[in-house]
Amino acid sequence: MAGNYSTSYEESIKNPDKFWDKAAQDIQWYKPYTKVLDDSRKPFYRWFTGGELNTCYNAIDYHVEKGKKDQTAVIYDSPVTGTVRRISYGELLELVSRFAGALLSCGAGRGDTVILYMPMIPEALIAMLACARIGAIHSVVFGGFAPPELAIRIDDAKPKLIISASCGIEGNKIIDYKPLLDKALELSRHKPARCIVYQRKQANASLIPGRDLDWNTAMRDAKPAGCVPVKSTDPLYILYTSGTTGMPKGVVRDNGGHAVALKWSMKYIYDIEPGDLFWAASDVGWVVGHSYIVYAPLLHGAATVLYEGKPVGTPDPGAFWRVISQHGVKALFTAPTAFRAIKKEDPNGEYIRKYDLSGFKNLFLAGERLDPDTHQWASDMLKIPVVDHWWQTETGWAIAANCMGLEPLPIKPGSPTKPVPGYRVVILDGEGKELPNGTEGIVALKLPLPPGTLPTLWNNDEKYKESYLDMYPGYYFTGDGGYYDRDGYLYIMGRVDDVINVAGHRLSTGAMEEVIATHPDVAECAVIGAADSFKGQLPVGFVVLKAGVTGDQRDLVNDLVKMVREQIGALACFKQAVVVKRLPKTRSGKILRGTMRKMADGEDVKPPSTIDDPAILDEIKESMSSIGYGKKA
Ligand code: COA
Ligand code: AMP
């Protein structure tokens, strides 16, 4: 399949069956598929129907059978606990099979859902792979989410079991997870029969007899379990992601398409060979963690770094360079915000020069727009290709990238380069008409999407259609705006909906508004994502009080900050709100959030023709400037 980018790209579009059939030869199947692309139920496309495989087998057992028992699979590097632990493919097989046995003895089996609420420890990866081994469907919930968010996911996924740990460690803070889990289970309607809890040295969780089981006890008593063949189209996992409302979307990932696409991506996008060391400095709670900490490196027979630390402060801005040189990382994948954090503390790259980075070949960044300044700084400091690539939880792997293993193309800062083979990326106007290069519009993907992308939402085909397909029939709506330049390079300019991106974390302003609206003094509110030079965006609330409400506005704002923190989580970074007399609206009553966001970012804004009362914009401008946003008067 080696060849230059345009040959591969064209082949993938002209003859997707042939292209992906060839890629699927790199995956081990128990039963061969009868169809590569099954379009018998449009617009619900499926890949490799009729086939049976096991993702865990492909990620572990297969490599052990091929003699790689002693090769390193995982390097757990945890500066917050002072630990470095190497796990070979052979050891990983032993641990995962044993935990798979523990899951079975707790009553979870093929087709059952299992929620994981875990910090960045090897047990998280072991639990995910153990689910895949027995055909159970995992759903990992990011540790930074508060109990109500966890409860929403428990009620939707209805897990047989929950796996957690006594605590997470955030820099120098110990976060007790068990009280958060207990609280979530108090709030949820669905009550799973069992919870397995990994006790860490830093905190001891109290276990509820009859319901909670200690991880080590479960492992000790378990019989190792083998791999269960599952259908290519069976779900491997559900990952909830923020949409425009408080109800997150349960993105489903299948087994077959996912394994094929991820294995392909390791070689052709990331230029990684089996045996190389790949590091995605993300979290297993996010899609980047699922795809590139856990599944892709292992499917490819490479080694992966599981890093429990931050880019700065654990202990210093040299943390990433220490890990890269100590373990021999060939490619690092992280979010631009991590680089902005490093740049802020080490603008001249003094820490970079302390380490031997000669084995470090490529830096990949994604998760939010890569601003040209950060791109430039990273390129100047590291003197290696800095590869921006664009994707989302829904797709599970990159939509647009510079495919370093196919043919590195010239880099243009600000652009994630060109569509990856398999993806037909188009720019549409409001009516769904394709726009020429140079014109900004809505970024959409022509159906069918390639393997590995979401086939639907969990138990909700209708919502899948409504959220992604109905808007522009024949296309998948990405939620992003952007354009192609004259050379066919794609530029992604930001979301056109109410999703925001804070420090690489995808959040819903709608969810924050739902929380704020429950405050007894609040009549109505709007939350927007305002540009922030460090975290990319930060949420800012605009609140209209109920008639007759008086009192100190600072107390109200403190209440709202606390509410969002307790109900969504600290990761929302909701710290600023201001009271306004009215919100700007269209004549039909829709809040003009887009206009407010532009004003907050200091752009020149003409009142939209649909606005009900343009004078409100002046009031909003004044309120914004009182908290440091918008154009200085
Ligand atoms: N568990 C519990 N709390 C968490 C958490 C977790 N897993 N992750 C974050 N939080 C908390 C933080 O402790 C912080 O709490 P605080 O308000 O009490 O200080 C809050 O959520 C905000 O966290 P964050 O936005 O991450 O800020 P930070 O200052 O701790 O770190 C960065 C800033 C840039 C270093 C960090 O956000 C980062 O590394 N981002 C990269 C994101 C990423 O990997 N995205 C995935 C796509 S590749
Ligand atoms: P998530 O689902 O958390 O991965 O977030 C996906 C969203 O992050 C996308 O829809 C984009 O808005 C944004 N995003 C991810 N990668 C990039 C990128 N390279 N450039 C611009 N925006 C990006």
Side-chain angles (χ1 to χ4, degrees):
M1 198 173 295
N4 67 25
Y5 164 75
S6 47
T7 314
S8 276
Y9 184 74
E10 271 158 37
E11 194 187 324
S12 78
I13 299 304
K14 280 198 192 123
N15 201 341
D17 272 53
K18 187 172 157 213
F19 185 89
W20 291 114
D21 187 26
K22 211 158 148 193
Q25 306 308 310
D26 281 346
I27 292 298
Q28 310 307 310
W29 302 85
Y30 293 118
K31 192 173 155 206
Y33 44 86
T34 48
K35 263 194 159 175
V36 178
L37 171 63
D38 181 354
D39 60 0
S40 56
R41 210 170 69 87
K42 283 178 192 168
F44 296 91
Y45 295 88
R46 303 310 310 255
W47 288 92
F48 308 111
T49 44
E52 285 185 7
L53 76 161
N54 184 284
T55 298
C56 179
Y57 174 82
N58 276 277
I60 309 177
D61 303 53
Y62 174 71
H63 306 305
V64 173
E65 286 170 15
K66 291 283 163 206
K68 293 183 180 169
K69 178 168 85 54
D70 298 322
Q71 189 186 299
T72 300
V74 181
I75 299 176
Y76 167 55
D77 187 306
S78 167
V80 295
T81 59
T83 314
V84 171
R85 175 179 166 201
R86 283 170 180 271
I87 304 174
S88 67
Y89 272 98
E91 281 169 76
L92 190 61
L93 178 59
E94 159 67 22
L95 292 164
V96 170
S97 324
R98 201 164 266 285
F99 195 67
L103 293 176
L104 289 174
S105 57
C106 285
R110 183 173 169 191
D112 289 329
T113 51
V114 175
I115 279 194
L116 273 67
Y117 186 61
M118 303 279 278
M120 285 287 287
I121 54 176
E123 287 68 23
L125 178 144
I126 291 166
M128 289 165 78
L129 289 159
C131 288
R133 192 169 188 83
I134 60 165
I137 305 159
H138 61 70
S139 185
V140 184
V141 179
F142 179 64
F145 278 119
E149 287 289 323
L150 178 55
I152 290 174
R153 288 155 175 81
I154 293 172
D155 279 334
D156 197 66
K158 302 198 173 32
K160 263 267 167 68
L161 259 179
I162 298 190
I163 323 280
S164 190
S166 57
C167 68
I169 306 169
E170 272 290 297
N172 51 18
K173 283 181 294 187
I174 308 280
I175 314 240
D176 287 316
Y177 274 29
K178 188 60 180 11
L180 304 175
L181 172 60
D182 289 342
K183 178 80 193 153
L185 285 169
E186 244 174 75
L187 296 171
S188 67
R189 286 185 308 279
H190 174 81
K191 313 280 178 198
R194 307 300 302 259
C195 298
I196 302 181
V197 181
Y198 182 77
Q199 298 279 18
R200 304 188 72 183
K201 279 198 208 104
Q202 295 76 12
N204 190 58
S206 59
L207 303 184
I208 298 177
R211 188 195 74 183
D212 301 342
L213 185 60
D214 171 66
W215 173 288
N216 287 330
T217 311
M219 283 292 257
R220 193 196 57 211
D221 298 343
K223 275 209 231 53
C227 293
V228 172
V230 298
K231 286 188 196 153
S232 169
T233 51
D234 278 346
L236 169 68
Y237 69 77
I238 310 163
L239 181 57
Y240 288 89
T241 191
S242 301
T244 47
T245 68
M247 184 61 209
K249 295 175 183 154
V251 168
V252 172
R253 192 82 57 215
D254 68 9
N255 275 274
H258 174 254
V260 171
L262 258 53
K263 169 107 177 74
W264 185 92
S265 73
M266 275 322 271
K267 181 168 173 58
Y268 294 107
I269 298 181
Y270 299 102
D271 195 23
I272 290 291
E273 296 295 338
D276 285 343
L277 180 59
F278 187 77
W279 178 20
S282 177
D283 189 288
V284 288
W286 303 118
V287 70
V288 175
H290 280 63
S291 295
Y292 293 106
I293 295 175
V294 183
Y295 287 110
L298 299 179
L299 285 165
H300 200 47
T304 181
V305 178
L306 182 77
Y307 175 70
E308 190 182 29
K310 297 261 177 187
V312 295
T314 57
D316 55 43
F320 276 19
W321 325 127
R322 194 269 302 159
V323 172
I324 291 170
S325 70
Q326 183 173 340
H327 305 305
V329 171
K330 185 175 171 191
L332 167 68
F333 175 173
T334 191
T337 191
F339 264 72
R340 289 196 294 269
I342 297 170
K343 180 178 150 203
K344 205 157 121 184
E345 293 200 8
D346 183 23
N348 301 320
E350 273 148 31
Y351 282 87
I352 299 176
R353 287 190 283 281
K354 290 187 185 175
Y355 297 93
D356 172 10
L357 301 181
S358 54
F360 182 26
K361 299 296 178 214
N362 290 305
L363 168 66
F364 293 89
L365 296 170
E368 57 175 326
R369 186 173 144 72
L370 171 58
D371 52 289
D373 272 2
T374 306
H375 195 152
Q376 194 63 51
W377 184 82
S379 305
D380 291 349
M381 292 295 152
L382 294 169
K383 304 198 168 30
I384 58 169
V386 175
V387 183
D388 179 12
H389 61 326
W390 167 61
W391 52 300
Q392 33 184 230
T393 305
E394 288 86 342
T395 63
W397 63 295
I399 309 167
N402 201 338
C403 293
M404 300 307 281
L406 263 183
E407 179 194 4
L409 299 174
I411 287 172
K412 290 198 190 189
S415 165
T417 315
K418 295 190 178 186
V420 167
Y423 287 97
R424 288 177 290 177
V425 183
V426 296
I427 310 295
L428 301 179
D429 70 8
E431 268 72 56
K433 210 166 87 263
E434 289 188 23
L435 291 168
N437 289 5
T439 315
E440 192 167 333
I442 311 271
V443 188
L445 310 177
K446 218 174 197 162
L447 297 176
L449 301 179
T453 54
L454 83 170
T456 190
L457 294 176
W458 180 242
N459 280 339
N460 210 337
D461 282 356
E462 239 344 278
K463 176 97 185 269
Y464 167 66
K465 263 180 90 258
E466 186 194 298
S467 311
Y468 302 105
L469 309 182
D470 287 351
M471 193 144 1
Y472 303 109
Y475 298 93
Y476 164 90
F477 169 70
T478 65
D480 282 306
Y483 66 93
Y484 278 111
D485 73 6
R486 264 189 312 197
D487 305 325
Y489 276 59
L490 185 68
Y491 291 75
I492 300 298
M493 304 310 290
R495 300 285 303 198
V496 295
D497 55 13
D498 297 327
V499 168
I500 60 169
N501 208 309
V502 180
H505 306 316
R506 174 167 160 180
L507 296 161
S508 159
T509 53
M512 294 182 221
E513 288 175 6
E514 283 177 27
V515 171
I516 293 170
T518 62
H519 191 285
D521 293 349
V522 171
E524 64 174 343
C525 65
V527 175
I528 59 161
D532 179 75
S533 61
F534 173 34
K535 297 206 172 180
Q537 284 185 305
L538 278 178
V540 182
F542 294 84
V543 181
V544 179
L545 298 182
K546 283 182 182 158
V549 171
T550 51
D552 192 336
Q553 291 189 6
R554 270 171 313 185
D555 290 344
L556 172 82
V557 170
N558 290 341
D559 279 358
L560 299 179
V561 167
K562 192 160 167 269
M563 283 166 72
V564 173
R565 195 177 168 93
E566 283 173 0
Q567 293 188 48
I568 295 181
L571 84 161
C573 291
F574 180 82
K575 296 202 169 132
Q576 278 186 309
V578 63
V579 172
V580 293
K581 282 195 224 110
R582 304 174 289 172
L583 290 170
K585 291 185 184 170
T586 61
R587 281 185 285 278
S588 59
K590 202 169 165 287
I591 298 172
L592 290 162
R593 293 181 182 79
T595 305
M596 290 169 74
R597 182 172 47 74
K598 284 189 188 139
M599 286 170 67
D601 295 349
E603 286 179 38
D604 282 323
V605 172
K606 272 207 223 115
S609 57
T610 51
I611 195 166
D612 183 32
D613 178 1
I616 301 181
L617 293 186
D618 291 330
E619 294 167 23
I620 293 287
K621 197 169 164 190
E622 215 169 285
S623 309
M624 277 179 181
S625 90
S626 73
I627 51 168
Y629 286 98
K631 267 222 164 102
K632 305 274 168 297

